[in-house]
Amino acid sequence: QLSSSSSVESNGASSRRRNMPMMYQMYESQYEDLRGTVYGPESPDFYPAQASENLKKALSGIETNDTAIINILVQHNNFQRQKILSAYEDMYEKSLVSDIEEEAGGYFLEAVLALFKPAHVFDTQQLYKSVSNRYGDHSVAVEIACTRSARQLKVIREQYQQDFKKTLEKDISMKVEGSFGRMLSLLLCKTREEDGKRVDEELVNRHANLLLSIDYLQQSVDELSKNLVIFEQIFAVKSWRHIEAVLSKADEMRGDRRDIETILRKNKTMHSETRLMLLTIVNVARNSQLYFAEKLRIAMSGERPDHNTIIRVIVTRSEIDMADIVEEYKRRFQRSLEFDFTQTCSGDYLRLLLSIIVPAGSIH
């Protein structure tokens, strides 16, 4: 579900969007009722040369001024950071990324480099890594498939072919086996309806009955693979609002029996990756901000923190719905994300994370 909070887009932001290349315009969040934590100055107040000069000073002293680097990063949005990279190279004939790599390290460096990558390029690289890891974790690919808009996924597919000289659909067919691979391809490569359309109640009832009549979620992976047409009809091409309505209607029709999420979690015959995919679909359809809050909690709860997940979520959601994720985290776990970061991370890496999730001046 989208957050009930709203943000009003200013004329300056509209002007900035018009001045962006189409690739960036398509990749910006289209949801005006979500709240990010990073916005950047409006066009008249954005001076990439000044930011570049400040970065050069921060990197040129005896000790690197990491605070200055953090401030510049969080005070500019992703598109503006690309302008800063270009201005820096024009002014000093050096790569800003290379200069930062010489001075910084660890998770701080990883987070900084992620923030400087164009958003669609970062997502494409994360997707490639997930798809190419044949025996590893495909959950990042599922996350991207379920949490990026149809416009964003179109940009990712184009970037994927440009970077890796093959279509995403073909690469998945070669690297991700079985029905899970076919389902993943449907989620990533089919065009999904946007949420703006009104939900068709008659179709919701028909899809809910379809789920119940074939006892869809109880089947083994072999039986599930025979129902890819149904998977595509309900989960791959319909809007997230429609999917949420179908799941709620199916639970309502099931009555006092277990809800869909419980059925999935307790199913031991379904392939683990297929089960995780369906759980992700259910969770994202119902509350995508809560989904990301739970991902962050899991990343910090294991024996070793999963910093790749922490960085990925913080970077990719900072301009979209990070403020809402922070609120969902506190509501769900009765503790602040800020506090848990201080227990898990340290140094400049911690300061960067806090600067992204906490409004300026309120870090404790």
Side-chain angles (χ1 to χ4, degrees):
Q1 293 282 53
L2 301 183
S3 165
S4 59
S5 304
S6 63
S7 59
V8 179
E9 187 182 53
S10 69
N11 291 331
S14 297
S15 173
R16 183 185 70 224
R17 181 174 290 167
R18 285 195 300 271
N19 292 329
M20 287 182 179
M22 183 57 67
M23 188 76 83
Y24 286 90
Q25 289 185 41
M26 291 183 69
Y27 217 77
E28 275 213 324
S29 172
Q30 303 300 309
Y31 299 117
E32 294 184 8
D33 52 352
L34 296 177
R35 298 178 304 138
T37 52
V38 173
Y39 295 98
E42 304 300 355
S43 296
D45 302 315
F46 171 48
Y47 304 103
Q50 182 64 55
S52 298
E53 186 177 330
N54 291 339
L55 281 167
K56 184 65 174 176
K57 290 177 182 176
L59 293 164
S60 298
I62 297 175
E63 290 189 6
T64 303
N65 186 347
D66 293 324
T67 300
I69 296 172
I70 291 170
N71 289 339
I72 292 169
L73 276 169
V74 301
Q75 289 167 8
H76 295 89
N77 63 38
N78 185 266
F79 175 68
Q80 290 168 340
R81 292 182 207 124
Q82 310 316 308
K83 293 289 190 182
I84 292 169
L85 287 172
S86 297
Y88 190 96
E89 188 163 353
D90 289 343
M91 293 167 67
Y92 304 110
E93 297 184 346
K94 296 184 71 178
S95 163
L96 173 57
V97 168
S98 297
D99 282 356
I100 292 175
E101 287 176 328
E102 289 179 6
E103 301 296 334
Y107 296 120
F108 174 67
L109 175 61
E110 288 186 29
V112 168
L113 295 181
L115 286 162
F116 268 119
K117 282 181 182 174
H120 57 284
V121 173
F122 180 75
D123 271 351
T124 302
Q125 291 173 348
Q126 293 288 305
L127 178 60
Y128 178 78
K129 193 183 303 181
S130 178
V131 167
S132 299
N133 193 354
R134 182 184 293 268
Y135 302 107
D137 181 12
H138 293 126
S139 66
V140 175
V142 175
E143 177 185 299
I144 290 172
C146 293
T147 60
R148 276 38 169 191
S149 69
R151 287 157 61 107
Q152 289 173 325
L153 288 174
K154 182 176 186 296
V155 173
I156 286 175
R157 291 193 296 271
E158 292 172 358
Q159 189 69 38
Y160 199 99
Q161 185 160 6
Q162 178 181 316
D163 288 352
F164 306 113
K165 312 306 178 190
K166 64 188 81 171
T167 66
L168 175 58
E169 191 170 11
K170 182 174 181 181
D171 215 21
I172 292 173
S173 69
M174 293 169 57
K175 295 175 179 176
V176 188
E177 299 174 345
S179 61
F180 172 80
R182 292 190 289 274
M183 293 161 74
L184 180 62
S185 183
L186 289 171
L187 289 177
L188 284 164
C189 301
K190 288 291 180 180
T191 301
R192 184 182 297 281
E193 291 178 357
E194 296 288 0
D195 279 324
K197 292 188 176 182
R198 189 175 180 179
V199 172
D200 182 339
E201 296 295 341
E202 183 180 342
L203 186 59
V204 167
N205 288 329
R206 197 182 319 148
H207 281 168
N209 275 302
L210 192 56
L211 283 182
L212 295 176
S213 66
I214 61 172
D215 208 12
Y216 185 65
L217 299 169
Q218 293 281 26
Q219 296 182 43
S220 71
V221 68
D222 291 333
E223 293 166 324
L224 181 62
S225 65
K226 300 172 186 175
N227 285 313
L228 286 177
V229 172
I230 295 173
F231 177 85
E232 178 179 349
Q233 285 178 357
I234 301 176
F235 296 125
V237 298
K238 302 304 293 181
S239 72
W240 289 103
R241 190 170 293 165
H242 175 87
I243 296 171
E244 194 277 332
V246 170
L247 297 173
S248 296
K249 176 61 70 172
D251 282 344
E252 178 187 322
M253 294 166 68
R254 196 177 282 107
D256 294 334
R257 289 180 287 168
R258 296 177 299 177
D259 62 17
I260 285 173
E261 186 174 359
T262 303
I263 290 172
L264 283 168
R265 291 191 184 283
K266 292 184 177 295
N267 188 305
K268 302 304 180 185
T269 60
M270 188 179 292
H271 190 281
S272 61
E273 287 190 318
T274 302
R275 182 170 61 250
L276 177 61
M277 174 186 284
L278 291 170
L279 279 169
T280 300
I281 290 171
V282 171
N283 293 333
V284 168
R286 288 183 166 157
N287 188 330
S288 61
Q289 288 75 51
L290 178 57
Y291 163 81
F292 281 114
E294 290 177 340
K295 289 286 285 188
L296 287 170
R297 179 66 181 152
I298 292 169
M300 290 185 282
S301 300
E303 290 184 14
R304 298 183 61 183
D306 179 1
H307 292 289
N308 288 333
T309 293
I310 293 172
I311 292 170
R312 184 181 72 252
V313 173
I314 295 299
V315 168
T316 59
R317 309 313 294 185
S318 61
E319 295 178 38
I320 299 175
D321 54 1
M322 197 66 237
D324 296 313
I325 292 168
V326 169
E327 289 187 1
E328 288 290 351
Y329 192 96
K330 189 165 188 177
R331 188 179 298 120
R332 171 70 176 83
F333 301 110
Q334 301 300 305
R335 53 199 289 148
S336 71
L337 181 58
E338 175 189 353
F339 175 80
D340 280 354
F341 276 160
T342 62
Q343 303 301 301
T344 307
C345 312
S346 62
D348 293 320
Y349 174 49
L350 171 62
R351 282 187 282 278
L352 174 57
L353 296 180
L354 294 182
S355 295
I356 292 175
I357 70 166
V358 181
S362 62
I363 296 178
H364 304 299

